Amino acid sequence: MQTAPLASAPLDLLVSGATILTADPTRPCLTHAFLGIRDGRIAWLDTVAPPQGASATLEADGRLVTPGLVNVHTHSVLTMVRGVAADLGFAPSYTPGIPKASDLTPEQARAFARLGALEALLAGSTVIGDHFTHADVTTAAIAELGLRVAASWRILDVDFDRVASSGEWVHDVDAGMHLLDQGLQLVDAWSRHSRVTVQLAAHAADTCSDTLLHAVAEASRTRGLRVNTHLGQSRAEVERVQARRGRTSAQVFAEAGLLNDQLLAGHCIYVDEDDARRMARAGVHVVHIPKCNAASGRLAPTPMLRRAGLNIALATDTQHGDMIEVMRWALATARIQEGKVDEQWQPEHVFHMATQGGADAMGMGEDIGSLAVGKAADLVILDARRPHLVPLTRPVGTLVHTGQGRDVDTVIVAGEIVVRGGRPVHADLEAVCAEATEAARALWAAA
């Protein structure tokens, strides 16, 4: 890889002296390196300093620099059930006795979304794929923090309130079409924002009727939109889809026109080898959520999914926002299934999933996901002088095995510093936490 052509204009920012994990296989790790930013993009990346000056320099000796982490599947609003839902055995929407999306006011949704998105940003996520209710309000709240967001309304036509209260499973197609329309309105509202994209979050093959799935597929095709969904997330989903259609969820998505390279399939716990091959041929992206899966007592068959040729991205989902921890869980759960340590599952593989693999899944891989001259300057700087990161003998292995989201000191998105010294630049951290605490107190009291 060549460094940028020399230019008379100085760089806007020079990160100096860092160990840099590029996620670029041609030169994956640079030590005592220099990364220069101009006009929001990487203009210099080398182990020698650039000849031109910089308007600002960030001395990064003893720091570890990575691409911004790409967290492709989150529900930031579900910080409202933090510490509770994970121990109930199933997703909060299906569970009696805890707050539901329908209980939220727009103001509460905004408070929870800011908390969840801020947590992810402070832990190094420069991109989140966030979908839930009140997306018209939460998208703006998240975008204000300075990170990139791929936002979506949650689209389904099963009434979760009826499911939780009586177990009744009835599709209301008109309700689903209304949610799809809200999703398309979100597309139009944010079409000119440089850091906001919009996806269509068709919830799952069991919670969306065939009619709704076909409508989502048509909207995806005509508007060029990615679809973020849950696929094979539970035995109940598998059984309901089989009873309704005599098909697997992947087959139902294929028949609806959704099984293609625009689809991000979350969880994929209950996917067999035939469906894995079918998904790989279609170019589907698997969204691996290892900690949430394992906390519910289940493991996605990621070794099999990788062997089938599927791109795997990583996500935190609902329990936390730490993508570094997710990398560690992804590596450990794969090795548990393989029953060994080998060259097929190494830290480099899960690091790729958290960076370039996620960017590719989001359709952003040409612009972000690795550090290279010409790409957008989305990067994370971690303090590697802390005891659990010393010595930094093999940086990617140390990061994956012992790193933590709280090691993040600085986050840069499109050349702009949005986290400095571990604190957000565009938000009052204490106020965000206080607002979410008050929203939770009111919501749980009502529930």
Side-chain angles (χ1 to χ4, degrees), residues 60-99:
D61 184 51
R63 273 68 164 192
L64 181 64
V65 176
T66 76
L69 303 177
V70 184
N71 187 353
V72 302
H73 180 120
T74 64
H75 314 290
S76 293
V77 172
L78 286 177
T79 50
M80 70 184 190
V81 291
R82 189 196 301 278
V84 178
D87 300 313
L88 296 176
F90 211 63
S93 296
Y94 302 83
T95 308
I98 65 172

Side-chain angles (χ1 to χ4, degrees), residues 41-42 148 356 359 363-370 372 374-378:
R41 309 195 80 81
I42 298 172
R148 301 182 194 271
Q356 191 65 59
M364 303 176 182
E366 293 295 317
D367 206 40
I368 63 170
S370 63
K375 279 197 161 185
D378 286 19

Side-chain angles (χ1 to χ4, degrees), residues 261-332:
D261 61 1
Q262 298 289 90
L263 187 69
L264 286 75
H267 295 285
C268 293
I269 299 169
Y270 302 101
V271 171
D272 63 22
E273 292 188 19
D274 286 343
D275 274 343
R277 288 190 289 268
R278 179 179 291 108
M279 292 162 65
R281 287 193 298 271
V284 171
H285 306 276
V286 168
V287 179
H288 185 31
I289 305 168
K291 185 176 180 183
C292 284
N293 293 348
S296 67
R298 302 170 300 164
L299 302 178
T302 46
M304 180 272 286
L305 296 171
R306 271 192 69 203
R307 284 192 290 269
L310 283 151
N311 176 49
I312 301 179
L314 294 182
T316 61
D317 205 353
T318 61
Q319 293 178 18
H320 65 104
D322 188 343
M323 283 284 286
I324 299 174
E325 183 176 5
V326 164
M327 285 191 277
R328 186 154 51 246
W329 281 82
L331 182 61

